[in-house]
Amino acid sequence: MIVTFEGAPAVGKSTIASVLKDEHGCYVVPEVNKLFGKDNRESDLWYYQKQIERWHIASRSANDAMLSILDGDVFQPVWFGLTFPDEHWGCFDTIVSFYRKMLDGKRVSFPTKYVYFHVPEQVRANREFERSSLLGRSSAVIEKKISRFQHFSALQKDYFTGLKEEFPELVLFHESNEISRSIEQILSCDDSHQYKDSDIFDFMIERCRVNTRAKGNS
């Protein structure tokens, strides 16, 4: 079974993924920049292709591991511009065309389950400040990152809320306060849903377009 972890920075995705890997034999596929190197990015297309490669890694490992966990959605390029509407994240039609081709060719699919991690914003900000301080970042840099992702967190949560309303068994919302509780809930996930990839993708595209039009009219 393939599970995708999503949520804003500092909500606990990577920490919980590490525990599942070390203590329960789950396989974890890191995000693109960690897996392939942030400085190796040649173009937007390279980034999209590496997301597909992440899916292939997860698919291969799913046969042997209790869970195959994607730390970050392989479809992120499709909806990421929605969460940062004032920034340019590539041509939306180009992204849609690329992923549509990958889906039609059976080179990518949606996970069995999205686990969307969330915590109160102040808790997230405190966690971010603590972990960034340990990395030696300045207070000004940390505050800038916290502020940037505060808006992202709200928009991302809205997107996954819509996804869950349309496909209830596809998304699990989880407030990540206690690691043991998180582990228990994730390991109890089932793979019972029968949603079609094409239906999920069409919903994703339409939601992004509707939100883009609403922003343009505001």
Side-chain angles (χ1 to χ4, degrees), residues 1-2 26-29 54-69:
M1 187 165 84
I2 299 176
C26 298
Y27 192 92
V28 179
V29 184
R54 290 177 67 235
W55 176 260
H56 291 168
I57 295 170
S59 297
R60 290 194 298 269
S61 67
N63 295 323
D64 302 317
M66 178 181 292
L67 284 178
S68 187
I69 299 168

Side-chain angles (χ1 to χ4, degrees), residues 114-116 118 157 160-161 164 171-175 185:
Y114 282 106
V115 180
Y116 179 79
H118 63 98
K157 187 174 184 179
F160 278 98
T161 297
K164 182 173 178 60
V171 182
L172 169 67
F173 270 68
H174 178 71
E175 187 167 352
Q185 189 167 11

Side-chain angles (χ1 to χ4, degrees), residues 168-185:
E169 301 303 319
L170 180 63
V171 182
L172 169 67
F173 270 68
H174 178 71
E175 187 167 352
S176 52
N177 292 320
E178 297 180 10
I179 291 180
S180 59
R181 179 173 171 271
S182 297
I183 298 299
E184 180 181 358
Q185 189 167 11

Side-chain angles (χ1 to χ4, degrees), residues 73 75 78-79 82 92 96 100 103 110 114 155-168 170-171 173 195-213:
D73 187 15
F75 290 89
V78 179
W79 55 260
L82 179 65
F92 184 69
V96 170
R100 181 85 65 189
L103 281 167
F110 283 90
Y114 282 106
L155 291 173
Q156 187 194 42
K157 187 174 184 179
D158 179 69
Y159 166 73
F160 278 98
T161 297
L163 194 62
K164 182 173 178 60
E165 289 173 352
E166 188 73 14
F167 307 101
L170 180 63
V171 182
F173 270 68
Y195 305 125
K196 295 180 180 179
D197 284 344
S198 57
D199 291 341
I200 301 171
F201 190 65
D202 287 344
F203 172 82
M204 175 187 291
I205 300 312
E206 181 58 22
R207 188 170 183 89
C208 290
R209 292 195 191 281
V210 166
N211 279 271
T212 299
R213 289 196 294 267

